[in-house]
Amino acid sequence: MNTNLAAAKRSPGDLFAPIARDLELAERIFQEKIQRREPGVSRLLHYLNHYRGKRLRPALLLLTAQACGSVTRAHHVLAAVVEMIHTATLVHDDVLDSASVRRHVRTVNAEWGNQASILLGDFLFTHAFHLSSTLDDVRACRIIGETTNRLCAGELHQVCEKGNLNLGEDDYLDMIQGKTAELTACSARLGAMYAGADTEVIENLTRYGTYLGLAFQIADDVLDLVGEERSTGKSLGTDLEQQKLTLPLIHFFSQASVADAEQMRRLLRTEGTKRAQFVRILEEAGSIGYARRRAHEYASLAGAQLQCLPPSEARTILEHLAERVVQRDC
């Protein structure tokens, strides 16, 4: 991937500088649409300002729009929509994972309990659907509806496979395509579509979003094992605690001897096993290295989809973004 232009050298803080104004407008729509007068609800919604992340999905939507021509009012609305959906999934995920920290602050479920968290996530989902309908364009509603259907199916798939120590790599990839890559693909598709791109470009950028999401999730699953909570700002090791197999463990079981596989199963079923024990075994087996390589492969596939675009600053940032998602510690 060509990252020789100035954008490739930006720090994480200013990578999205060329779309900063557009992100600000999308954020304004986000905040205006979820405002409530009830003090308790308002307090809960305000807490999300400390809780949300890098705005990757709205930035992806706006960058693909810019790379395909120009950013419009519809893009600002849709950027707010995908951010609402993503934030809703974070709130619900923390309930599912019993997580207590995200972005260096207590999670909504840790602060207000599971009931409030589930209802808050639902609140964000319904507001996202309503907001998308204000465009009076059935395309956005249909794509967003299909995306959230697949997203929820991916999450259900993971919950149903919890404790399945025979999960294969294909099943894992299918699962993360639903729970993560569908929304990044949707963001790229909407950005291109509402910029008036032709069908081939839209499909290429949708694939870019899919591969980017797969690379991001594999890297995220590696971080859940080897990351530092001070850097990531969230609870780690939750996949291990709940026996949710991710790619490093799947690779380990596919390569391990009968004795080594049985030792790993015992560790997974033993409460209080330290994350460091798993990391040592998985590193020695080459399983963490394998997962990292797979993440880089998907990042490279993402970058290859951008050849359909003319050279531009937005395209360069999209290329760099594919590298950035697998070279991070948070």
Side-chain angles (χ1 to χ4, degrees), residues 225-267:
L225 287 166
V226 304
E228 294 290 337
E229 291 194 355
R230 285 182 303 175
S231 299
T232 63
K234 64 179 181 178
S235 301
L236 296 178
T238 57
D239 291 331
L240 289 171
E241 290 169 6
Q242 299 187 34
Q243 294 185 33
K244 294 179 181 177
L245 256 63
T246 55
L247 192 54
L249 277 165
I250 290 168
H251 176 266
F252 175 85
F253 281 122
S254 73
Q255 303 292 316
S257 66
V258 172
D260 288 344
E262 184 53 38
Q263 179 192 12
M264 179 62 79
R265 290 188 184 96
R266 283 197 300 270
L267 280 174

Side-chain angles (χ1 to χ4, degrees), residues 85-161:
I85 292 170
H86 176 59
T87 306
T89 66
L90 295 183
V91 173
H92 282 172
D93 281 352
D94 287 340
V95 175
L96 293 172
D97 295 339
S98 300
S100 59
V101 177
R102 183 179 289 277
R103 298 291 167 196
H104 302 282
V105 298
R106 283 167 60 80
T107 55
V108 175
N109 51 296
E111 195 73 16
W112 277 275
N114 287 346
Q115 287 183 332
S117 297
I118 291 167
L119 289 169
L120 176 60
D122 292 347
F123 175 94
L124 291 166
F125 271 127
T126 58
H127 277 64
F129 297 143
H130 179 263
L131 180 56
S132 67
S133 73
T134 64
L135 293 176
D136 294 325
D137 186 337
V138 71
R139 295 179 303 168
C141 292
R142 183 176 65 248
I143 291 167
I144 290 162
E146 289 170 350
T147 296
T148 51
N149 284 345
R150 292 170 186 153
L151 191 156
C152 291
E155 291 286 1
L156 277 170
H157 188 183
Q158 184 173 59
V159 169
C160 291
E161 295 295 342

Side-chain angles (χ1 to χ4, degrees), residues 12-324:
D14 65 3
L15 180 63
F16 300 144
I19 55 164
R21 175 61 177 162
D22 295 304
L23 280 171
E24 182 183 328
L25 291 170
E27 179 65 17
R28 189 177 302 169
I29 293 169
F30 181 104
Q31 296 295 343
E32 287 174 354
K33 295 301 178 182
I34 67 170
Q35 276 187 354
R36 298 293 301 179
R37 289 175 299 185
E38 301 88 348
V41 179
S42 178
R43 210 163 37 245
L44 188 57
L45 293 167
H46 180 73
Y47 190 75
L48 289 175
N49 293 332
H50 307 290
Y51 188 87
R52 291 160 56 207
K54 302 181 181 71
R55 315 296 199 269
L56 172 63
R57 284 98 190 146
L60 177 57
L61 191 152
L62 295 166
L63 284 167
T64 52
Q66 194 174 96
C68 290
S70 62
V71 178
T72 67
R73 167 69 178 176
H75 288 115
H76 299 143
V77 170
L78 291 168
V81 167
V82 297
E83 180 66 1
M84 285 179 185
I85 292 170
H86 176 59
T87 306
T89 66
L90 295 183
V91 173
H92 282 172
D93 281 352
D94 287 340
V95 175
L96 293 172
D97 295 339
S98 300
S100 59
V101 177
R102 183 179 289 277
R103 298 291 167 196
H104 302 282
V105 298
R106 283 167 60 80
T107 55
V108 175
N109 51 296
E111 195 73 16
W112 277 275
N114 287 346
Q115 287 183 332
S117 297
I118 291 167
L119 289 169
L120 176 60
D122 292 347
F123 175 94
L124 291 166
F125 271 127
T126 58
H127 277 64
F129 297 143
H130 179 263
L131 180 56
S132 67
S133 73
T134 64
L135 293 176
D136 294 325
D137 186 337
V138 71
R139 295 179 303 168
C141 292
R142 183 176 65 248
I143 291 167
I144 290 162
E146 289 170 350
T147 296
T148 51
N149 284 345
R150 292 170 186 153
L151 191 156
C152 291
E155 291 286 1
L156 277 170
H157 188 183
Q158 184 173 59
V159 169
C160 291
E161 295 295 342
K162 186 168 67 173
N164 177 10
L165 304 186
N166 297 309
L167 189 73
E169 184 169 331
D170 287 345
D171 275 336
Y172 165 79
L173 291 172
D174 183 59
M175 185 186 301
I176 67 171
Q177 176 154 352
K179 63 173 280 187
T180 301
E182 283 293 339
L183 191 53
T184 50
C186 172
S187 300
R189 174 179 285 274
L190 291 172
M193 180 180 291
Y194 280 81
D198 63 35
T199 301
E200 183 181 356
V201 171
I202 293 170
E203 293 307 316
N204 280 343
L205 288 174
T206 301
R207 284 192 292 272
Y208 167 85
T210 297
Y211 292 137
L212 185 78
L214 292 172
F216 180 94
Q217 188 59 57
I218 294 170
D220 206 57
D221 289 342
V222 171
L223 276 178
D224 191 66
L225 287 166
V226 304
E228 294 290 337
E229 291 194 355
R230 285 182 303 175
S231 299
T232 63
K234 64 179 181 178
S235 301
L236 296 178
T238 57
D239 291 331
L240 289 171
E241 290 169 6
Q242 299 187 34
Q243 294 185 33
K244 294 179 181 177
L245 256 63
T246 55
L247 192 54
L249 277 165
I250 290 168
H251 176 266
F252 175 85
F253 281 122
S254 73
Q255 303 292 316
S257 66
V258 172
D260 288 344
E262 184 53 38
Q263 179 192 12
M264 179 62 79
R265 290 188 184 96
R266 283 197 300 270
L267 280 174
L268 284 166
R269 291 167 180 153
T270 302
E271 289 188 13
T273 303
K274 301 297 185 184
R275 190 159 50 105
Q277 291 178 257
F278 291 103
V279 172
R280 178 181 56 78
I281 294 169
L282 293 170
E283 283 183 336
E284 288 176 358
S287 297
I288 289 174
Y290 173 80
R292 284 179 169 145
R293 288 194 300 276
R294 292 290 279 147
H296 280 278
E297 287 170 11
Y298 281 116
S300 294
L301 285 170
Q305 307 309 308
L306 300 173
Q307 298 303 311
C308 65
L309 296 172
S312 68
E313 186 175 34
R315 172 179 154 172
T316 299
I317 295 172
L318 289 169
E319 291 171 340
H320 188 51
L321 194 57
E323 295 180 341
R324 178 65 60 83

